[in-house]
Amino acid sequence: MLIISHRDQHESVAALNRASSSFVSCMTTLANTLIGVRPHVPDSSSRARKLQLLATGVYAPGTGVAREIVSLPAPRILRIYNVRTGEPALRANGTTARVVLSLDDAVVESTEHLQIGGVRFELVVRQFIDVQEKSSVSTSIRLQRMSDGCVAPSLVRVDYGIDDSAVNEYLGSSRWLTARYYDIESCRQGDRHFSAIVVTDEHRLRYDVQVEPSPHSGAHTSTWSDVEQGCVISATFDFSMADCRHLFTCWQVRPALEFPCSGQVRAMSEFLDIESEHRALWAAIWKSHFVQIDANQAPVELGVKYAVFQLLQHGTGPQHPERGFISPARGLTSTYHSGATFFDTELHKCIFWIWNDPIMARALIDYRYLHLEDAVRFANATGFSGARFPEASNDRGGENGPRYVLLYPSAEITREWSVDEVLHISANVCYAVHRYWTVTRDDAYMSDRGSEIAMACARFSVSALTWSDSKQAYVVNRVMGPDEYHYHVDNSFYTNYSLSWCIQFALSLIDLGLVREFRADEVAHWRRLASSIYLPWMEADGISIPEEFDGYANLPDTPLRVAKGSGPQFVSELERHSAEKMENFPSKVIKQADVVLLLSLFPQHFSHEVKRAALAFYEPRTVHESSLSYGPHAVLAADVGESSACADFIARASRYNLDFTKVDDYGNGLHLSAYAGAWQGLVEGMAGLRVEGDGLSFRPQLPEQWNSYQFTICFRGRRLHVTVPANGAIQIEHDGNSLPVQWRADGRAHCCGACA
């Protein structure tokens, strides 16, 4: 059984068996800014073992894409067996295994019962990542004899080491086509440790692995290596004098400048100190990033904790903002999408970090800045000017989306159009810059890097527009918006509006004097163009709302998704089949509403009437096949006063993997941007957080099924603790002191004007 725990809350998520082991190992991934590691999961399937370790920056030329993140091997338990007979340990009949992820301290513990020679043993494996050392993983292994047998084995051996079963699946999702991008080059052994060199075409990685038996364990260790089986430390336990034996392991992976000498061996007491420090550090992390919903033990309570926990994991540890930081679509939990980053990083994950740790947010933006020249080259190669950031961007900043996808097992070739037709990414990058600056008021960054990004993105936006005599406006033809069910469309409202906003934002920076170099004639052209960009509108229940794209209103309607079930809201197998085949849908059904996303990004740009009517029209026609869909819907639902709908969307976003993903043979990874969307739904939606001038404003709501909620944010150097104890009430604290709140006629609570 997979159990997620936080304080006194414990939720059983899924039964544990070979079919579900890949899902369980994904859900319990331990990570930080450098590595993502799958923990020990009993009775793992071959697919679960394909992914063991992902490391930031370790990519290789890919299969079907330009580059992909490399699935690397990780030290782990390889075998447990009777020393004298060689009989392997097997799952004891009639027993079930358990894996528990503790959100409080980022520790995974697995428990299983094994049978060796008629004797039952209990194996408990506890694992965590040392956040401070970044790449150090510690594991405690306890083997306890539970019963005597006719032929009780007195000597039991545990082999712990590296093997080469980790491989990449095609596009991170096809179990039938795999590739291995590394080799175990060499290994050197010591008494209780070994060092190995793992190489790819571009990287040399050094693994230092140590195994330490507890004192008086009656255990001795030996190390060995084999070209076929990798590097191993064997620990032999003597159960003739005691029933319980402990083993501690610690390993680290880092760039290898040369072959290591014998590693420094740690004493067992150091392992205990490391774990104590680890727990204390996570207590401090949770204090700084506290979030809680009191909803009478409803699933959303643990869902939001799990969502924020996974986001925090991927942003903890020492950061190097000057180098930038790529955030893969699935973080370091899966090779799905090949480790590329997409626009959801800027619109969701980056916004989470802007409010939680601006240094991390700036590192995400700097990844784009450091690849600005690559974006310029991509724009020029595709017939545009300025900087065109790719729809899928790899570790080198290059375009990484496949133009053709090989479907298995049918072997059909499907055209993927997003690489060519998605034109809104640069505007999304610009939006993240704008939000970072708005919250932090980091004028130095804007003057140095932010304005350069904005100007390059604006130049691309201008080059994407063409004049239409028939519409007497600038248009963008043959595009794909965030809704991937319709491509080759003209004048996507989301795309056109985003490009227009991007140009106007760059102009505002020029007016503020934050742009050092520009051409007067170019800027004059931008000013004329910005007010002449075509935006399609349509009627819905007598109200004019943004039209998804030109001609959308004339498409046949689709059955409305009125009854809400779990997961994507397909109304027929034909719809599901069309989505899987990436077909161009002929009806009004949409994957994720572009218009709802846009209105959630710019709530102040549209009237309450337009937002309410647009949500009422588009949501019942939305499949929500993308996990990115729920967060924007939560924000917009709260913005129009539908707090119960907002609460439902928050629950769906935060629990996307917990509730909606396919458990058997799962390989898709964790949907971190959905988790960030859940946090946005709570903070920017339910609490109504906005920046106004030098301060903040809120419009707190409390749905009927909730009792209260709390969260923390970082605003211009001060960390604030916000509590909504009742509908229409709010409390804001800094360092334990309550801050004054001023209520105004617009129904918003204003605070922190002195924070600037």
Side-chain angles (χ1 to χ4, degrees):
M1 182 63 68
L2 168 62
I3 298 172
I4 310 293
S5 74
H6 173 68
R7 295 184 180 176
D8 59 346
Q9 290 182 286
H10 306 274
E11 180 177 334
S12 298
V13 177
L16 179 56
N17 50 52
R18 289 185 68 81
S20 67
S21 61
S22 183
F23 170 80
V24 173
S25 63
C26 175
M27 294 298 297
T28 54
T29 297
L30 297 173
N32 55 31
T33 55
L34 186 65
I35 57 175
V37 180
R38 297 286 182 89
H40 174 78
V41 173
D43 199 25
S44 292
S45 67
S46 60
R47 188 174 199 192
R49 293 192 296 272
K50 288 177 183 177
L51 185 64
Q52 302 170 24
L53 164 68
L54 297 178
T56 296
V58 180
Y59 287 69
T63 303
V65 293
R67 297 179 63 75
E68 60 182 310
I69 195 167
V70 176
S71 177
L72 294 163
R76 60 190 181 89
I77 296 174
L78 302 176
R79 290 169 293 275
I80 300 176
Y81 53 96
N82 185 331
V83 173
R84 300 191 191 282
T85 67
E87 178 186 0
L90 301 175
R91 173 75 64 80
N93 293 332
T95 64
T96 58
R98 183 178 67 175
V99 176
V100 180
L101 168 62
S102 170
L103 304 182
D104 301 292
D105 45 23
V107 172
V108 176
E109 183 174 283
S110 68
T111 305
E112 60 183 310
H113 289 90
L114 304 174
Q115 197 91 12
I116 309 177
V119 179
R120 180 172 295 184
F121 290 84
E122 182 182 69
L123 175 66
V124 179
V125 180
R126 190 172 71 252
Q127 184 170 311
F128 63 90
I129 291 180
D130 187 339
V131 175
Q132 292 177 315
E133 290 192 14
K134 292 190 68 180
S135 60
S136 178
V137 180
S138 296
T139 307
S140 167
I141 301 170
R142 188 186 79 214
L143 191 62
Q144 181 166 354
R145 187 167 56 189
M146 306 297 292
S147 64
D148 291 327
C150 299
V151 186
S154 60
L155 297 179
V156 175
R157 181 169 293 164
V158 177
D159 287 347
Y160 185 89
I162 302 173
D163 68 13
D164 59 1
S165 60
V167 293
N168 281 66
E169 296 181 336
Y170 173 67
L171 299 184
S173 62
S174 174
R175 56 195 286 187
W176 299 278
L177 179 60
T178 62
R180 194 179 73 173
Y181 297 119
Y182 67 88
D183 285 307
I184 301 175
E185 181 182 79
S186 50
C187 181
R188 290 187 181 178
Q189 303 86 32
D191 180 26
R192 296 188 301 276
H193 64 274
F194 67 78
S195 296
I197 299 296
V198 174
V199 298
T200 71
D201 287 344
E202 301 171 0
H203 301 273
R204 289 174 58 83
L205 302 173
R206 165 181 164 176
Y207 287 67
D208 291 315
V209 182
Q210 180 190 344
V211 169
E212 181 70 24
S214 62
H216 314 297
S217 67
H220 66 272
T221 63
S222 61
T223 60
W224 53 276
S225 63
D226 184 276
V227 175
E228 297 297 327
Q229 299 187 29
C231 309
V232 180
I233 296 179
S234 292
T236 302
F237 292 126
D238 186 350
F239 283 94
S240 62
M241 301 296 293
D243 289 333
C244 188
R245 300 303 188 189
H246 284 85
L247 194 67
F248 298 91
T249 78
C250 182
W251 59 270
Q252 187 173 24
V253 58
R254 51 191 163 177
L257 301 179
E258 59 185 18
F259 198 94
C261 301
S262 58
Q264 180 180 358
V265 178
R266 285 177 168 171
M268 189 273 295
S269 59
E270 291 185 72
F271 286 92
L272 302 179
D273 291 340
I274 289 173
E275 184 169 359
S276 177
E277 292 171 3
H278 171 81
R279 294 180 187 275
L281 181 59
W282 265 95
I285 290 173
W286 275 119
K287 183 177 180 180
S288 295
H289 305 282
F290 185 80
V291 62
Q292 179 173 293
I293 296 173
D294 179 2
N296 302 313
Q297 300 292 309
V300 69
E301 292 185 2
L302 198 65
V304 165
K305 280 287 186 181
Y306 180 82
V308 173
F309 166 76
Q310 290 294 353
L311 290 164
L312 293 176
Q313 274 207 115
H314 288 80
T316 56
Q319 298 154 6
H320 303 281
E322 72 278 1
R323 303 178 192 172
F325 185 77
I326 183 174
S327 180
R330 298 295 185 261
L332 298 175
T333 72
S334 170
T335 58
Y336 195 78
H337 286 313
S338 307
T341 190
F342 295 77
F343 73 101
D344 53 283
T345 291
E346 279 72 36
L347 300 189
H348 301 301
K349 285 183 278 189
C350 192
I351 304 304
F352 171 84
W353 286 112
I354 286 170
W355 287 114
N356 280 273
D357 185 351
I359 294 176
M360 183 62 183
R362 193 171 64 216
L364 293 172
I365 296 171
D366 275 342
Y367 158 77
R368 297 295 194 177
Y369 176 80
L370 295 173
H371 292 292
L372 198 56
E373 291 186 5
D374 298 294
V376 170
R377 283 193 289 270
F378 182 51
N380 293 337
T382 52
F384 300 99
S385 302
R388 181 188 180 187
F389 289 102
E391 193 258 347
S393 184
N394 58 40
D395 62 313
R396 294 182 173 177
E399 180 270 307
N400 211 65
R403 285 183 166 81
Y404 295 92
V405 175
L406 177 64
L407 301 178
Y408 269 78
S410 65
E412 295 179 56
I413 300 292
T414 299
R415 182 70 161 91
E416 169 60 80
W417 290 100
S418 59
V419 173
D420 299 315
E421 296 190 355
V422 170
L423 301 181
H424 57 78
I425 308 300
S426 293
N428 300 150
V429 172
C430 203
Y431 180 84
V433 172
H434 159 69
R435 289 295 303 272
Y436 170 79
W437 181 46
T438 300
V439 174
T440 64
R441 197 50 68 183
D442 186 349
D443 290 344
Y445 185 84
M446 287 303 300
S447 180
D448 180 29
R449 293 187 170 187
S451 60
E452 187 176 349
I453 295 173
M455 291 295 287
C457 291
R459 289 189 178 97
F460 166 75
S461 299
V462 169
S463 71
L465 297 161
T466 57
W467 178 257
S468 169
D469 288 332
S470 62
K471 295 188 181 298
Q472 286 295 292
Y474 287 94
V475 299
V476 186
N477 293 329
R478 200 174 173 83
V479 297
M480 176 193 289
D483 167 36
E484 297 168 345
Y485 285 176
H486 300 92
Y487 41 88
H488 309 331
V489 304
D490 295 340
N491 296 310
S492 154
F493 196 103
Y494 179 91
T495 301
N496 288 21
Y497 195 95
S498 297
L499 299 180
S500 173
W501 172 85
C502 182
I503 297 167
Q504 294 179 55
F505 177 61
L507 290 172
S508 72
L509 295 179
I510 293 172
D511 293 340
L512 290 170
L514 292 173
V515 178
R516 290 190 291 268
E517 296 181 6
F518 59 89
R519 295 197 337 261
D521 60 332
E522 180 182 43
V523 171
H525 172 60
W526 291 5
R527 294 190 191 280
R528 292 190 298 271
L529 179 147
S531 59
S532 303
I533 297 175
Y534 176 73
L535 296 171
W537 293 77
M538 69 180 194
E539 293 290 314
D541 292 331
I543 298 173
S544 183
I545 65 171
E547 184 180 18
E548 188 84 358
F549 51 82
D550 246 354
Y552 174 82
N554 298 324
L555 294 178
D557 210 349
T558 180
L560 301 184
R561 279 79 177 155
V562 178
K564 305 301 178 185
S566 63
Q569 304 294 291
F570 292 112
V571 297
S572 68
E573 285 305 310
L574 179 61
E575 278 191 355
R576 188 185 302 275
H577 178 79
S578 296
E580 291 175 352
K581 297 291 186 181
M582 296 183 286
E583 295 177 354
N584 203 346
F585 276 69
S587 70
K588 287 189 174 73
V589 65
I590 45 184
K591 181 177 182 178
Q592 52 183 332
D594 302 26
V595 171
V596 168
L597 172 61
L598 184 73
L599 301 184
S600 74
L601 297 178
F602 302 103
Q604 70 277 23
H605 292 187
F606 300 89
S607 71
H608 181 85
E609 183 182 50
V610 167
K611 288 184 287 189
R612 175 177 288 279
L615 180 64
F617 178 85
Y618 283 111
E619 198 282 326
R621 293 167 173 83
T622 302
V623 173
H624 297 297
E625 188 193 355
S626 169
S627 65
L628 305 179
S629 188
Y630 293 118
H633 276 81
V635 172
L636 188 60
D639 197 44
V640 298
E642 296 184 10
S643 61
S644 292
C646 174
D648 180 62
F649 287 127
I650 291 172
R652 290 170 180 267
S654 67
R655 298 183 60 86
Y656 191 87
N657 287 99
L658 293 172
D659 293 340
F660 301 152
T661 56
K662 179 177 177 288
V663 172
D664 287 353
D665 212 22
Y666 183 68
N668 198 290
L670 296 180
H671 294 237
L672 297 180
S673 290
Y675 300 163
W679 188 91
Q680 288 173 276
L682 178 68
V683 174
E684 298 185 334
M686 199 71 80
L689 172 63
R690 302 284 187 274
V691 177
E692 294 192 10
D694 291 333
L696 299 173
S697 77
F698 300 83
R699 193 183 71 170
Q701 301 175 67
L702 194 69
E704 184 178 351
Q705 59 271 38
W706 292 13
N707 299 318
S708 65
Y709 55 92
Q710 305 175 57
F711 56 86
T712 53
I713 55 173
C714 185
F715 181 63
R716 299 183 186 176
R718 297 208 289 182
R719 192 161 292 278
L720 309 177
H721 186 107
V722 180
T723 302
V724 177
N727 195 25
I730 193 167
Q731 300 167 1
I732 305 172
E733 296 180 346
H734 171 63
D735 285 343
N737 300 314
S738 295
L739 300 181
V741 174
Q742 181 181 8
W743 291 91
R744 297 185 181 173
D746 60 2
R748 301 190 67 85
H750 293 249
C751 182
C752 303
C755 287

